[in-house]
Amino acid sequence: MLRLIMGRVLDAVPTILLILTLVFVALRLLPGDPARVALGDYATQEQLALFRQQMGLDLPLWQQYFVFLWDMVRFDFGRSLTSQTLVSELIGRNLPYTIELTLSAVALGVLAGIPMGVLAAVKRRKLADSGVRVFSLVGYAIPDFYLGAVLLIVFSLNLGWFPINGAGTDLLSRLHHLVLPAVTLACIKAAFVARLTRTSLLEVLGKDYVRTARAKGAREPRAIYRHGLRNAMMPIATGIGLSLLATLSGSVAIELVFNRPGIGEMLISAIARRDYPVIQGGVAVFAFLVLLVNLLVDLAYVVIDPRVRVSR
């Protein structure tokens, strides 16, 4: 297990380096002067030059690049160009909101999607199967930001059941603010997980060992869950990992729709202000989270099927 973890960590190093390099280059290609954005249109040339010097923006690009990489290695994300706040503080302030939204949405999606997929597989070509497949198609087709806007109009503006924006302060208010954004993303995830569970379970239920279990007198729930669903969990685990990654990126639009704080909302604001340190720090955190999810999926494979440990 330890060797698997270390191997995945070492494999992630060039990936992170490539992502950071692409971000650095892309930001420098964007039009606009971050010094002018930070100081405003009325700043003098002397003030702009002093700001660029203080922030290291006057250095040659290759030197800025190596300074940037060295700071990333030390987890020193620098300060925001516009607010002078430590980027680590901004990330620490916004990251919990994105994580709680992502985990809540995926958890709800999995809890709803797996039973629906099992039901559709067991009731194949019946009314329940048709209903689940229609739900999956609608979930695939509808954009998350559109569904979020509809739920916001219906349940917040018209019915007044949930807050319109923000994320709350204490535990109860945060849960209250979290319901609609989490349900929005969970509907999309449930559609994906249900479809994947149905397909995987149908393939497994046709295997010889499931038919043998039934022939030996195993009750149908035992044959489905112990012999069927358990052996169908490998692709489902992959799908859940992909859902986590998609939800991390999809949370950007939902945070904007519901005016929630989060890493996505922070990055969008930073891009508009050409705030290089905030963008670089935020993308670095996103890259780390993506690699962490991939590592967790690999570990889930080992837990689900210990034979994977031998083959890796």
Side-chain angles (χ1 to χ4, degrees), residues 75-257:
F75 296 100
D76 180 8
F77 301 126
R79 291 182 178 270
S80 168
L81 297 181
T82 54
S83 67
Q84 295 301 306
T85 306
L86 287 172
V87 176
S88 56
E89 290 184 8
L90 292 175
I91 293 174
R93 192 184 307 159
N94 289 279
L95 183 59
Y97 294 105
T98 298
I99 290 179
E100 73 179 16
L101 175 59
T102 300
L103 295 181
S104 301
V106 173
L108 290 174
V110 170
L111 289 175
I114 289 180
M116 285 193 295
V118 172
L119 178 64
V122 173
K123 304 293 184 180
R124 186 183 183 188
R125 296 176 181 173
K126 296 183 179 179
L127 182 61
D129 184 24
S130 299
V132 171
R133 284 191 290 172
V134 169
F135 172 76
S136 298
L137 290 174
V138 173
Y140 276 126
I142 190 169
D144 51 6
F145 62 86
Y146 177 79
L147 177 60
V150 171
L151 294 180
L152 187 64
I153 292 171
V154 173
F155 294 101
S156 294
L157 292 178
N158 292 341
L159 298 177
W161 291 357
F162 299 99
I164 296 177
N165 55 26
T169 53
D170 57 17
L171 178 60
L172 289 179
S173 65
R174 287 184 72 162
L175 290 175
H176 196 201
H177 283 78
L178 183 63
V179 171
L180 282 186
V183 168
T184 300
L185 290 172
C187 289
I188 312 297
K189 305 311 151 192
F192 171 71
V193 173
R195 182 85 176 203
L196 182 60
T197 303
R198 177 186 181 275
T199 303
S200 302
L201 188 58
L202 282 175
E203 182 179 350
V204 171
L205 290 178
K207 299 291 185 181
D208 291 338
Y209 56 82
V210 177
R211 288 196 291 265
T212 301
R214 285 171 171 162
K216 288 183 176 180
R219 294 184 178 181
E220 192 64 15
R222 181 182 178 87
I224 292 172
Y225 288 98
R226 185 183 178 101
H227 300 280
L229 185 60
R230 183 176 180 179
N231 289 282
M233 281 304 297
M234 290 287 280
I236 296 174
T238 303
I240 293 173
L242 293 174
S243 294
L244 274 170
L245 299 180
T247 308
L248 276 173
S249 58
S251 64
V252 175
I254 297 302
E255 286 169 0
L256 293 176
V257 170

Side-chain angles (χ1 to χ4, degrees), residues 1-40:
M1 182 75 74
L2 181 60
R3 190 167 68 177
L4 173 65
I5 295 174
M6 293 303 298
R8 289 296 177 266
V9 171
L10 292 176
D11 291 342
V13 171
T15 304
I16 293 178
L17 179 61
L18 177 61
I19 292 173
L20 294 178
T21 302
L22 291 176
V23 170
F24 179 87
V25 173
L27 287 178
R28 270 61 183 181
L29 292 177
L30 286 176
D33 182 2
R36 177 68 68 182
V37 174
L39 298 181

